[in-house]
Amino acid sequence: MRKRIVGVAAAVALVVAAAFVIPLAIPTEVYKARLVALVKQATGRELSINGPVSFSLWPAPTIEAREVSLGNGPRNSTLPIAELRALQARLRLWPLFSGRVVVDRLVLIQPRIMLEIDRSGHPNWAFGPTAASEKAGAAAQAAFRLSGFGIEQMRVVDGTVGYLDQRTGSGTQLDNIALTASLGKPDGPLNVVGSTGWRGERVDFALEISTPRAFLAGGGSAAKLDLTAPPLTLVFSGRFASLPQPELAGAVEIKSRSLRELARWAGIAITTQIGGLGPFAVRSAISVAGTRVSLGDADLSLDAIRAKGSVAIDTARARPFVTGNLVVNSLDLDPYLSPPRPATGPPPTAKPAPSPSPAGHGNANDAALTSTPPSRAAPGSRASPFTLADLDLGLTIGSIAYRKFRIGATQLGLTLTDGRLVAALRRMALYGGNGTGRITVDGAGPVPSIGLDLALSQVQIGPLAAAAVDNNRLSGTANLDITLTARNQTRENLIASLSGRGGIGVSNGEITGVDLLALADNAARIERQLIGMLDVTGALNLLAQGSIKGVDPLALAATAVRGVVGGNNTTRFATLSATCTVADGVVRNDDLRLTSGLVPLTGAGTIDLRTHAVDYRLNLKLAGDITVPIIVGGTWDNPTYRPDMAAMLAEAPANAIAILKSGGAAVGRNLKGIGQGLQNFDRGAIGTVKGLLGK
């Protein structure tokens, strides 16, 4: 037993001595040459070691090299694919006696790795030995008598990984990488846990690749990824391949506490002062092949919005191209709109635009890694939202809330091409009726333009008008055709630039706030009272001098209005129809037709959409061919009605002449100057009545 103990002690002493003596006896150039040859065999790339190399056996075989770099692929840039400040490899001792190299621990200190896809689509991480490298590697392996090679654990300290796609000029960079990769067996699985920095935020990740050797060879592998950063969390489970280009298929779940914050982190500046864009989530099957990302059977949520369907994004174009079909339960647009400005008073002062991300929230090397084409907005740029992507989406929406509008089930096709948005309304349920149409928004230029072509059928005009102009004085079942265009940046200027045409037909409706028939009857009675009160002298004075003694037409006019305007007064009608033209925000109509029983009504005038001012004239034709003109003024929020008594009295001479004729032959001798009196009537009597009525 004592001899055995002594023998073991001697062997240990021999190993310890060898640990110190052998590294001194073998020249370092031998290590370097053999290591370079092995790497050449495995990767087909040139390994350069420009710093010192050291080798020790105690307490474990360890190789350390400084200023190490690995050459790039033949189709890629001349810069190395990887550079390291230092490399430390600790080997297991006993596998060396059987010709195997097992790296117990590999430490990469300050590595800089540059992943690149050339213009032909070849990635520089596609490693593969050449015929020459295989020959050299075989010789090196024979010299070492190796039968296997493996790495059990790898650590990265303060690493950097850059990515550049020469086909599109897009790229990015990860900084401050710290990770530990563990490989229990040569055939997997590989587990990687670590963190990195991207755009000023820390990103923690955990990755599991079931068969890493097959993955590196391009055959693909089952994989899992958990990624956590302040703006989002991501969980993926499925299959992942790296060659000839990255591909994956599986299930993904993404959650973000704020889509606005996530967009900022991604370099997309949201400059408009809108609300919403809060909690965001996606749960979906995912497929990535080259430049195309597809989400199938997806559940999406943003704030209170829920949607299901499929979406695909292709980044091969100058702008991302988004296609798909979605079913949305309900869509409340109000949180995403700028607050409406008050009807009066100056517009609120605009808030200053958000400043660019402070230093540290972007990548210092992004500019060197990217060469953004003019048609693609660089990260952090403030391009128009209409030029950020192209779209071709089909949407089925259960309900839509837009300011005061409440819209039912809607189907529409949404396309966005080169900054021009087209929404084709295939079906829209609206206030008891339905509608179809087309909305276009051209946001590519500095001044956006809007077009509306809308046909509505059997809608209730009351709630529609209340939502559109905050006025429900008109009710009934309506058909409308509207074609409008506008061009400007602010709401006020858009209204001022409105032009187009329209038409409306309303049946079985009413106008609230006025009884037009009663008003016309009262005005006609005033006229009859004025004429009936005249004797021969009074009639001659009306014709010749424009004066009526003993009557107060202003009081009579006030009596005509009293009790029939305001309150619960209404004008019911069977049909109402009108067409209009719109120019510079002013609606002009000259063919209004309204029927209420046997009384026809016509009208013409203007409505100024900029100021809401109404300047309109109605004509009601009563029995006996008496026409009563009614002037409508004020605004559509607070309209005023009054009979045009001056115009009515202008038609009164015929009745006055009839009275004069009833005076007999004596009066007839005084009729010689009646013709001249009729010509002076407007200057006399009508002028007086106008004064009395405040005209």
Side-chain angles (χ1 to χ4, degrees), residues 273-342:
Q273 303 299 319
I274 61 175
L277 303 181
F280 171 73
V282 177
R283 178 180 293 177
S284 169
I286 185 172
S287 173
V288 178
T291 60
R292 183 177 177 85
V293 179
S294 300
L295 300 178
D297 193 22
D299 289 325
L300 303 96
S301 65
L302 172 62
D303 299 323
I305 301 171
R306 303 290 182 269
K308 292 179 177 291
S310 61
V311 178
I313 304 173
D314 194 340
T315 60
R317 302 186 179 190
R319 286 180 295 273
F321 182 46
V322 182
T323 59
N325 288 280
L326 293 175
V327 177
V328 183
N329 61 339
S330 62
L331 185 60
D332 185 355
L333 297 175
D334 289 349
Y336 312 103
L337 302 174
S338 299
R341 294 181 177 178

Side-chain angles (χ1 to χ4, degrees), residues 619-635:
N619 291 301
L620 283 81
K621 198 166 186 178
L622 302 178
D625 291 333
I626 298 176
T627 299
V628 178
I630 298 176
I631 295 175
V632 184
T635 66

Side-chain angles (χ1 to χ4, degrees), residues 166-185:
Q166 292 185 1
R167 299 169 299 178
T168 62
S170 61
T172 190
Q173 182 169 303
L174 302 176
D175 299 309
N176 305 319
I177 299 174
L179 64 82
T180 299
S182 301
L183 182 65
K185 298 179 180 180

Side-chain angles (χ1 to χ4, degrees), residues 24 29 47 65 69 125 139 195 254 272 307 319 331 343 399 437 442 454 460 532 546 574 656 658:
L24 299 176
E29 292 301 323
L47 178 69
S69 64
W125 60 85
S195 64
I254 301 172
T272 53
R319 286 180 295 273
L331 185 60
S399 63
D442 193 341
L454 197 61
Q460 294 304 306

Side-chain angles (χ1 to χ4, degrees), residues 104-115:
D104 174 49
R105 184 182 185 189
L106 176 65
V107 181
L108 308 179
I109 300 175
Q110 292 184 353
R112 177 179 172 83
I113 300 172
M114 185 63 202
L115 303 177

